[in-house]
Amino acid sequence: MTKLFFNTRAWCAILLVATGLAYWPGLGGGFIFDDWSALVENRGVHIDALDGASLRQAATSFEPGGTLGVRPLSMLGFGINHALHGLDPWGYKMTGWLVHLLNTLLVFAFVRRVVMLAAPQTPIQVGTAGESAPVAANPVVVAGVVALLWAVHPLQVSSVLYVVQRMETLSITFVLLALLAYLRGRTNQIEARPGWSWLALCIPLVALGWAAKESAVLFPAFALALELTVLSFAAQRRWVARSWRWGYALAVAAAVLVFLLLVLPHFWSAETITGRNFNTAERLLTQLRVLVMYLWQIVLPLPGALTFYYDNLPVSKGLLSPPATLVSGLFLLALLASALILIKRIPLYSLGVLLFFAAHALTSNVVALELVFEHRNYFALLGVILALAGLFLKLPVRDRFAAQWGVVALLCVACLFLTTLRAATWGDRLYLASDLADKNPLSARASSDLATLYLEMTDGYPGSPFNDFAMREFERGASIPGSSIMSDHGLILVAAQAGRPVDPAWWDRLIAKLEHQPITPDTTHAMFGLLGNRLKGVALDDDRLVEAFLAMFNRVRLPPYSYAQFGDYLLKHVGDESLADQVFELAVVESLSSPAYAQQMANVLLKDGHIRQARAVAAKARELGIPLDVSLPDSDSADGEAPALSVTN
C-alpha cells in the first residue's frame, strides 16, 4: 500500500478519476455571459465542415475585444466543436473538461520536478532523530497532493465549465509544457548535460500558447521565478551560469523600459476610460483589493464567496477610499517581501508567491480590462498552493505527522465536495442563474441572466407566466444603483413581445443611463439587441429607439458596421434620410483604418438604390482621402433636417 502511495501511475489515475468526477455534473449546463458573443452569435466560428477553408474561417473568427492577439488556435477548436456538435454546449464543455484533465497531469509533472529541485534545501524529519519522512519528502506525494488541490479547487469551476475560457486553459497547457521543457533543459545544464535543445523547444510551445490566448506571454516571468528560487541561475559551466544571470538582468531592465516608455503611456488615462467606470490609477488601486480577494477565495473557497459576477465591485478612488485599499496594498507588499527574504530557506514558498504575482502581471496592470474575473486565477492558484505546501513542509512534524497529513487529506476531500457541488449548479442553467442572482443580489449581470432565462422559458407565448417572472426580475435589476441598461432593455423587450404596454418611464431611464453612465460593451450589446429585435418585427417605439441611439452615438465611438446597421434601420423602418446621411458619414470616419469597408458600404447602398446615402459616403470618403471606386447619378433630392451628431474623440 505504501509503495502504491509513492507510485506515479497511481497518482495519475487518482488525479484523472477525482478531477473527472468532480466536474462531470457540470457538463450538462448551458452557455453563459461571453459565450454568447464569442461563440453563439459569432457566425464566423459556425463552420459545418472540416475542410481547409472552413478551418481558416474559424481560426480567424475572433471578434474585436482581444487586446494583444486574435487567438486562432482557440477559435479553431471552437470551430471544430461547432462542426461536430453544432451549438450543443455539451461538446464544448466536454472539450474544456479534457483540457483541464491534461493540465492536471502537467501540473503534477511540473510540481514533482520543482519539489525534486527544492528538496535538498527542505529536509524533513519525523520520529526519532535521523529518521526520514518518506511521505512528506517524496516528490511524488507532494506533487500529487498539490495537483489534486489545484485541479479540484472550487475556484476552477468557472474556468473549466465557462466554455469561452478554454482560451485560458488551453494557453496554460502550452505554458506548462514550456515550463517542463525549461526545467528539463536547465536541469541538464546543472548536471553538465546538453540542455539547449529543450530550452529552444520553449519558443514554439509559448507561440502555441499565445495562439490560444495572450496570457502565454507571461512565460518569461514564470521562468524567472524558477531561477530566483529552485534553479538559482545554476549551471555546471560557469559561463553558462553567468550568461543566465546577465541575460535575465538585461531582460528585466529591457522589460521595465518597454513598460515605462511604451506600455504605460499607451494605456494610461487620467480620465474615465471609455466603456469603463474607472481611470487607470483607479484600476491599479482597485487591483490591490482584488488580489487580496483572490487570495481569500483560494484559501477559504466558501460557496458564498464565489459569485462569478463582480460588476458591482466598488472602485477604489484613493488609498483610503476605501481604507481596505491601503490595507490590501501593505499586505501584498509584506507578502512579496517575505517571498524575497525566504528564497533560500523556503524556496517552494517563495516560488509560489512569485508565480501568483507573475500570473496577474497582465490582468492586474494598466490594460483597461474588467476589474475581476475568477478564471484569471487558473494558473495563479497553483502559486498559492505551492506556497502553502512550502510552509507545510517546514512545519515541525515530530509526533504530529499523521495528524498533519490527515488535515491535508481532509482539505482534499472538502475541495472535491465543494467543487462537485458547484459543478452540479453549473450543470443546470436555471439553477445557476438563480444561484448567482441570490448570492449577489446587487449584480445587474446576474439579475439580467436570470430574467433572460425566464424570457426564454416563455417560448414566445405572450400569456406565459414566465413573462411576469422576467419583467419583475428585469425591473429589480434596472433599479440596482449603477446598473447598465441591460435590464431596462430586457424590460422593454419583454413587454413589447408579450403585447403589453411599454411604460414611457422605462425608455426615460434607459436614455438617462446612456446620457450619464459609462458606455460599456454590455450597453452596446443591449442597444443592438433592441435594434435586432426591431428589425425582426418586434413593435418598439421608433422615436424612442432613435433617441436612445443618438444619446449613445454622441458619447462613444463604435466600429463602422455599427453605424451602417443603424443607418440601414433609419432608411428601411424610420424613413429619415437626412439622419441616415450623417450616420453613414460616421461609418466612413470610423473606416479610416479599414478603407475597404467604406467601399463595401458604398457598393451596398448603390445596389439597394440608396443613391443619396451613397453620395454622402463618397463625399465624406473624398474629404478624408479614402479612395472609392463608385459611379453615382448626377442628382438626387435632399429633404428634411436631422439632429446633429458628433464623433467623440
Side-chain angles (χ1 to χ4, degrees):
M1 184 67 180
T2 304
K3 290 183 179 180
L4 186 64
F5 199 54
F6 296 153
N7 188 277
T8 298
R9 292 182 180 178
W11 269 107
C12 288
I14 292 170
L15 291 170
L16 290 176
V17 171
T19 305
L21 291 176
Y23 292 94
W24 185 265
L27 299 185
F31 294 114
I32 186 173
F33 197 46
D34 282 343
D35 290 342
W36 292 95
S37 59
L39 304 176
V40 180
E41 299 168 2
N42 181 3
R43 296 192 177 277
V45 79
H46 294 175
I47 62 173
D48 299 314
L50 298 179
D51 57 88
S54 298
L55 294 175
R56 282 193 298 274
Q57 174 186 316
T60 57
S61 64
F62 184 64
E63 293 292 338
T67 305
L68 301 173
V70 293
R71 309 175 187 180
L73 189 59
S74 294
M75 299 312 296
L76 177 63
F78 292 135
I80 293 173
N81 278 135
H82 188 275
L84 297 177
H85 317 291
L87 286 175
D88 182 356
W90 190 89
Y92 294 79
K93 289 178 178 286
M94 169 64 78
T95 307
W97 178 77
L98 292 173
V99 170
H100 185 59
L101 289 178
L102 173 60
N103 287 348
T104 300
L105 297 180
L106 294 176
V107 165
F108 173 64
F110 172 73
V111 176
R112 182 180 58 175
R113 175 71 65 171
V114 165
V115 173
M116 289 172 64
L117 289 166
Q121 305 172 59
T122 56
I124 304 296
Q125 302 292 328
V126 298
T128 60
E131 183 180 351
S132 64
V135 175
N138 191 286
V140 173
V141 177
V142 176
V145 172
V146 170
L148 182 61
L149 287 171
W150 177 84
V152 300
H153 194 284
L155 195 61
Q156 301 287 47
V157 171
S158 58
S159 297
V160 179
L161 298 179
Y162 181 13
V163 174
V164 79
Q165 291 315 322
R166 192 197 310 164
M167 297 177 182
E168 180 73 21
T169 61
L170 185 61
S171 177
I172 294 301
T173 300
F174 294 104
V175 169
L176 286 167
L177 287 169
L179 288 172
L180 286 169
Y182 185 85
L183 285 172
R184 179 66 178 272
R186 291 289 291 115
T187 303
N188 283 0
Q189 290 182 338
I190 292 171
E191 297 172 353
R193 290 184 286 130
W196 291 111
S197 59
W198 285 100
L199 296 171
L201 182 60
C202 296
I203 297 174
L205 288 172
V206 172
L208 287 170
W210 175 284
K213 193 176 180 181
E214 305 82 26
S215 50
V217 74
L218 293 172
F219 169 80
F222 302 148
L224 176 58
L226 289 170
E227 292 291 350
L228 290 170
T229 54
V230 297
L231 292 174
S232 301
F233 303 99
Q236 189 70 26
R237 298 176 180 176
R238 290 186 177 181
W239 73 268
V240 174
R242 192 162 49 247
S243 297
W244 281 113
R245 290 189 179 91
W246 277 104
Y248 270 105
L250 292 174
V252 169
V256 171
L257 286 176
V258 168
F259 178 80
L260 294 177
L261 299 179
L262 298 178
V263 177
L264 191 61
H266 178 75
F267 288 105
W268 188 271
S269 174
E271 304 296 327
T272 300
I273 301 167
T274 301
R276 305 299 184 202
N277 63 338
F278 50 79
N279 60 30
T280 309
E282 290 168 348
R283 185 181 200 281
L284 293 176
L285 289 171
T286 307
Q287 287 306 302
L288 299 176
R289 292 169 36 233
V290 169
L291 289 174
V292 172
M293 183 188 74
Y294 288 154
L295 288 170
W296 182 254
Q297 290 176 326
I298 292 170
V299 174
L300 195 64
L302 298 177
L306 307 179
T307 61
F308 183 71
Y309 288 126
Y310 300 87
D311 49 304
N312 58 319
L313 181 79
V315 174
S316 292
K317 301 296 183 180
L319 281 173
L320 294 176
S321 179
T325 307
L326 178 59
V327 175
S328 297
L330 292 174
F331 174 78
L332 293 173
L333 186 62
L335 187 65
L336 182 58
S338 70
L340 297 176
I341 292 170
L342 297 173
I343 278 180
K344 297 300 182 182
R345 293 183 59 193
I346 317 179
L348 277 184
Y349 168 78
S350 298
L351 173 62
V353 173
L354 293 178
L355 287 179
F356 173 80
F357 281 109
H360 288 292
L362 277 182
T363 56
S364 290
N365 215 307
V366 296
V367 181
L369 304 171
E370 292 203 32
L371 294 174
V372 188
F373 272 121
E374 292 175 6
H375 68 262
R376 293 173 182 171
N377 288 285
Y378 186 71
F379 185 78
L381 174 64
L382 177 59
V384 179
I385 298 175
L386 267 179
L388 294 175
L391 294 176
F392 174 80
L393 293 176
K394 272 293 186 180
L395 290 175
V397 293
R398 295 178 188 272
D399 304 322
R400 289 184 292 163
F401 174 76
Q404 288 176 352
W405 281 90
V407 171
V408 171
L410 185 62
L411 285 175
C412 292
V413 172
C415 281
L416 186 62
F417 172 75
L418 291 173
T419 295
T420 305
L421 191 65
R422 195 180 188 205
T425 303
W426 276 67
D428 184 285
R429 285 188 66 197
L430 181 58
Y431 190 16
L432 176 62
S434 301
D435 181 66
L436 296 180
D438 181 63
K439 284 180 178 176
N440 194 353
L442 294 180
S443 168
R445 284 179 176 170
S447 174
S448 180
D449 272 2
L450 178 58
T452 300
L453 187 53
Y454 285 145
L455 181 58
E456 290 181 23
M457 294 170 68
T458 67
D459 289 327
Y461 175 54
S464 171
F466 288 110
N467 280 312
D468 297 308
F469 294 168
M471 292 184 70
R472 280 197 296 269
E473 187 59 34
F474 275 133
E475 182 62 57
R476 187 188 74 82
S479 302
I480 294 175
S483 63
S484 72
I485 67 166
M486 293 170 59
S487 294
D488 304 278
H489 136 274
L491 192 58
I492 293 169
L493 198 57
V494 172
Q497 290 178 331
R500 303 183 183 187
V502 175
D503 189 336
W506 300 344
W507 279 111
D508 293 339
R509 183 171 57 195
L510 182 147
I511 293 170
K513 289 181 178 180
L514 290 171
E515 291 174 340
H516 302 291
Q517 293 186 183
I519 305 296
T520 66
D522 289 342
T523 305
T524 55
H525 187 267
M527 285 301 299
F528 282 94
L530 282 175
L531 183 61
N533 278 277
R534 181 68 186 99
L535 295 175
K536 293 176 183 177
V538 176
L540 297 174
D541 187 326
D542 286 316
D543 290 338
R544 301 310 301 271
L545 185 58
V546 169
E547 184 182 355
F549 265 95
L550 294 183
M552 180 174 69
F553 286 161
N554 279 316
R555 295 193 60 218
V556 69
R557 296 177 65 168
L558 296 173
Y561 57 80
S562 298
Y563 297 107
Q565 185 178 355
F566 183 64
D568 187 63
Y569 157 72
L570 290 172
L571 291 175
K572 296 179 179 178
H573 290 264
V574 182
D576 191 335
E577 294 206 30
S578 182
L579 181 56
D581 291 347
Q582 296 185 58
V583 171
F584 281 112
E585 287 174 357
L586 285 178
V588 176
V589 172
E590 297 304 322
S591 299
L592 278 171
S593 59
S594 53
Y597 187 83
Q599 179 69 62
Q600 177 186 349
M601 187 165 48
N603 292 340
V604 171
L605 288 169
L606 283 173
K607 180 181 177 182
D608 291 344
H610 301 300
I611 309 301
R612 168 175 167 161
Q613 284 68 44
R615 180 174 288 109
V617 165
K620 178 58 71 172
R622 185 166 53 252
E623 176 187 331
L624 298 175
I626 300 176
L628 291 187
D629 181 16
V630 293
S631 179
L632 296 167
D634 292 333
S635 62
D636 188 53
S637 60
D639 301 314
E641 296 182 356
L645 285 172
S646 62
V647 178
T648 304
N649 291 319

